[in-house]
Amino acid sequence: MAAPTPTPPAGAAKRSDSVDDHGVFDDAKTYYAAHERHANPRAGPRTRTYSQNSLFKQFERLGLKEPYRRGSHDESSSLHGRRFLIQVEPTLESLLSQEDPDGNMQITIEDNGPKVLTLRTAASNGHNRFDIRGTYMLSNLLQELSLAKEYGRKQIVLDEARLNENPVNRLSRMIRDHFWEGLTRRIDASSIEIAARDPKDWTDDPRPRIYVPRGAPEQYEYYKKLAEDKPEIRLDVQLLPEKITPEIVRDMNAKPGLLAVDMEKVVDPKTGEETLRGRPFVVPGGRFNELYGWDSYMESLGLLVNEKVDLAKSMVLNFCFCIKHYGKILNATRSYYLCRSQPPFLTDMALRVYDKIKHEEGALEFLRTAILAAIKEYHSVWTAAPRLDPVTGLSRYRPEGLGVPPETEAGHFVHILEPYVEKHGITFDEFVRRYNNGEIKEPELDEYFLHDRAVRESGHDTTYRFEGCCADLATIDLNSLLFKYETDIARTIRNVFNDKLVVPAEYCVGTMVPGQIETSAIWDRRYKRRKLAIDKYLWNETEGMYFDYNTKTRQQCSYESATTFWALWAGVSSPKQAAAMVTKALPKFEVFGGLVSGTLESRGELGLEKPNRQWDYPYGWAPQQMLAWTGLYRYSFTEEAERLAYRWLFMITKAFVDFNGVVVEKYDVTRPIDPHRVDAEYGNQGLDFKGVAKEGFGWVNASYIYGLQIVNAHMRRALGTLTPYDTFIKAVEENRNKTLAELV
């Protein structure tokens, strides 16, 4: 049976709180939309309640000191635990004025308020009071009040359990019930006005625009009718040319737009007529509306754990649509990305989904479509010119393209272009126009942008690892992924399709002919050849790790990258190589918060002429963590996988607790106190929220949910008490030694 990369068995991943049966931890919509839940059953004729501050002020005016009535034991031991009767607006105002001195609508360990607020208990009809203490409970109160206000509640009965909830449970719940929903998009009439408007449209007339491939005429008619029915949104519907070339993409930059993705036929409940509806997908962060490449795979790992299988399946089908009509899984579905892909993960993603749905009707056809799409992408993108290096047989990130990448901010390349502007004695804008159109020839500039585009295709934008050389590098990450494609396709054809997969015309490329039969043997030979080439060019026996290979200089590079562990994920390494990596390489990358992207030694010293890059030391990213955990588990290095997962999860949980529920794109994995603060290049996504975080960040959300499947039950409990790894392992060892001593 074909199978994706193995996922470790789940630990104690499910919640076991008995109060959950009573809806204490319902999602915000369920919890705050129900009126009955917030009508205080203890309230008699006197229903007036007071926020802390307003009541105190009345006592102050009268010169009285209010007797302090604590909540009774009866309240806290009731069926649902302690509950508070809260007037939302006044309490929110009091909380912020007292605990949020910097006015950013977040309560963190850096705020110097008294860190205590008194609430009225519901069981006493607001008569008794109880103190809410500490950053975590107060920030949770802020989040709950913000949500209650959004749902229009004036008064709520709030369970204390939502304020002192185990942080691992709370973050897991937020991801499952809120973050995924906040990041889910679909492209159709319900969203096109916003989604088709490109925030990177620097033209004089930015407007919603969508490009539809010629192979999807029903979509073209759908969007044309939508534009006619709603002229006020100014939707520009364009039909893509049959053949996409770098010249066509360059000329489209004057009219950038969204690219259509897959749609399904549904019946409109209002009209009873058949119409189209966009297949949903998850975006990386809240500001995005387009489908991204490798982000989607990483997100699917979390979606599948959270049993959001239909959403992960829908994303696979969107990828198949992109390969069928655009020739590749794109960097993202915007017109200026048409020549550029991203790290390929389709086979593993499809097999993981298939494993969940294989007993459902249509599952086999779903897998057939995904494998055929992967075969087409493999041949037309990754093992064809210009990405294939014919000498080594290895592949490179080397997308086509002309001119200056249009998606960057206007000033992004000023320091690169200014010398050429001065050389030609024309204005900046005039130089860019003439250079893009080929009227000005600058080979050195062509070389610079060749590598710049390659860096963006790699997903690692940016890093000194790829500075001025990316398009020439046969990287360990890309070739590990292609090895995984080859082994996945071979096993799937052999075990699922009885060693016979017929290729229809729409998936044929190069010398392939419609109806030709793919067998496992050719794919077996391909992965064996790639394994030999990886060992020859990328493996370094002395260092015990893999390095990139420069196909231009014919030399192995020396930059130490955490992508070396992708070889474990893909199954490229021999047991001996895997052991060497754990012994020699792992200590170079393991830091406080897990794996760092690259070593300090490889990055070198920073300065005015050498600023920090976000994919270098000291930053850590979710994909590097997840692939390493899975790879280590694959080779039975369970202890190392658990340790790395614990470090990453602890860092995220600690920042979540200390900084008002924050979950961000990347972390400084060397900083114990505020790892979410990143000052490199683009800063950090996920910081800018008011009151309550709504989305987190896609692959970090996934890494949290997925990581909880890696750690054991004991570790999960320790994470819930915010126990640092070193403290945890010391306690485990002491307990083990004590047990052994008792046996002697």
Side-chain angles (χ1 to χ4, degrees), residues 289-310:
N289 289 299
E290 58 272 18
L291 174 70
Y292 273 77
W294 71 316
D295 291 78
S296 296
Y297 168 73
M298 300 300 162
E299 290 156 356
S300 74
L301 297 178
L303 291 172
L304 291 173
V305 175
N306 282 153
E307 297 299 330
K308 297 183 183 294
V309 181
D310 287 345

Side-chain angles (χ1 to χ4, degrees), residues 173-215:
R173 180 172 63 80
M174 294 292 283
I175 292 169
R176 185 195 65 222
D177 295 343
H178 298 281
F179 290 1
W180 291 134
E181 183 180 354
L183 292 172
T184 300
R185 306 284 187 272
R186 67 169 82 238
I187 306 301
D188 53 26
S190 66
S191 64
I192 193 69
E193 183 177 3
I194 296 172
R197 191 180 296 277
D198 193 345
K200 297 176 181 178
D201 184 348
W202 317 118
T203 62
D204 293 333
D205 183 27
R207 58 185 290 191
R209 182 177 292 109
I210 188 165
Y211 286 93
V212 182
R214 290 185 180 272

Side-chain angles (χ1 to χ4, degrees), residues 53 69 136 247 484 575 706:
N53 282 10
R69 300 183 180 89
Y136 180 58
E247 289 77 13
K484 185 70 163 59
Y706 188 73

Side-chain angles (χ1 to χ4, degrees), residues 49-82:
T49 58
Y50 300 91
S51 73
Q52 177 195 23
N53 282 10
S54 61
L55 191 62
F56 281 180
K57 285 173 183 174
Q58 289 188 47
F59 277 93
E60 287 171 6
R61 281 197 299 269
L62 297 171
L64 300 175
K65 184 176 180 181
E66 184 192 16
Y68 192 91
R69 300 183 180 89
R70 279 197 169 276
S72 69
H73 290 293
D74 291 339
E75 294 170 20
S76 61
S77 60
S78 66
L79 181 63
H80 294 290
R82 184 179 286 110

Side-chain angles (χ1 to χ4, degrees), residues 376-394:
K376 178 180 180 179
E377 181 198 31
Y378 175 89
H379 287 304
S380 63
V381 179
W382 299 113
T383 59
R387 291 175 179 86
L388 177 68
D389 174 49
V391 176
T392 61
L394 297 172

Side-chain angles (χ1 to χ4, degrees), residues 8 29 48 200 237 246 249 251 284 301 317 386 461 469 493 659 687 693 711:
K29 184 176 182 180
R48 190 177 180 191
K200 297 176 181 178
V237 183
V249 175
D251 295 342
L301 297 178
L317 293 173
D461 45 329
C469 64
I493 291 175
F659 291 92
L687 288 169
V711 297

Side-chain angles (χ1 to χ4, degrees), residues 584-712:
K584 296 182 179 180
L586 186 56
K588 295 182 178 183
F589 297 95
E590 184 173 352
V591 293
F592 169 80
L595 288 176
V596 70
S597 292
T599 63
L600 175 59
E601 183 182 0
S602 290
R603 186 203 68 184
E605 292 300 317
L606 302 175
L608 289 175
E609 298 299 317
K610 189 177 181 181
N612 220 337
R613 299 286 173 80
Q614 62 177 6
W615 280 92
D616 289 326
Y617 183 93
Y619 305 115
W621 294 73
Q624 313 291 36
Q625 319 300 321
M626 287 191 279
L627 297 181
W629 303 337
T630 312
L632 289 164
Y633 226 102
R634 179 178 193 145
Y635 286 84
S636 299
F637 291 104
T638 308
E639 188 176 313
E640 287 79 5
E642 289 180 343
R643 183 177 73 240
L644 290 173
Y646 190 100
R647 289 187 182 280
W648 178 256
L649 296 173
F650 174 81
M651 177 190 65
I652 292 173
T653 309
K654 188 75 163 58
F656 175 80
V657 167
D658 289 345
F659 291 92
N660 207 103
V662 73
V663 177
V664 290
E665 177 188 28
K666 55 188 171 286
Y667 291 84
D668 180 340
V669 286
T670 66
R671 289 171 76 121
I673 304 299
D674 52 355
H676 62 296
R677 292 238 165 81
V678 171
D679 57 3
E681 299 185 290
Y682 312 108
N684 220 345
Q685 303 294 324
L687 288 169
D688 188 22
F689 61 88
K690 303 295 183 186
V692 59
K694 297 293 186 61
E695 300 104 4
F697 197 86
W699 58 24
V700 175
N701 300 343
S703 73
Y704 198 81
I705 298 301
Y706 188 73
L708 289 174
Q709 310 298 298
I710 302 284
V711 297
N712 59 47

Side-chain angles (χ1 to χ4, degrees), residues 336-405:
Y336 38 76
Y337 293 133
L338 275 165
C339 290
R340 192 189 309 162
S341 189
Q342 270 200 327
F345 286 92
L346 179 58
T347 57
D348 192 77
M349 186 176 179
L351 285 166
R352 286 177 181 272
V353 172
Y354 177 72
D355 194 52
K356 293 275 191 178
I357 66 167
K358 57 188 173 187
H359 301 300
E360 296 178 10
E361 185 180 350
L364 196 63
E365 197 54 40
F366 162 82
L367 184 61
R368 186 192 313 275
T369 299
I371 294 299
L372 287 168
I375 290 173
K376 178 180 180 179
E377 181 198 31
Y378 175 89
H379 287 304
S380 63
V381 179
W382 299 113
T383 59
R387 291 175 179 86
L388 177 68
D389 174 49
V391 176
T392 61
L394 297 172
S395 299
R396 305 164 294 190
Y397 297 114
R398 199 178 176 94
E400 295 180 299
L402 294 170
V404 182

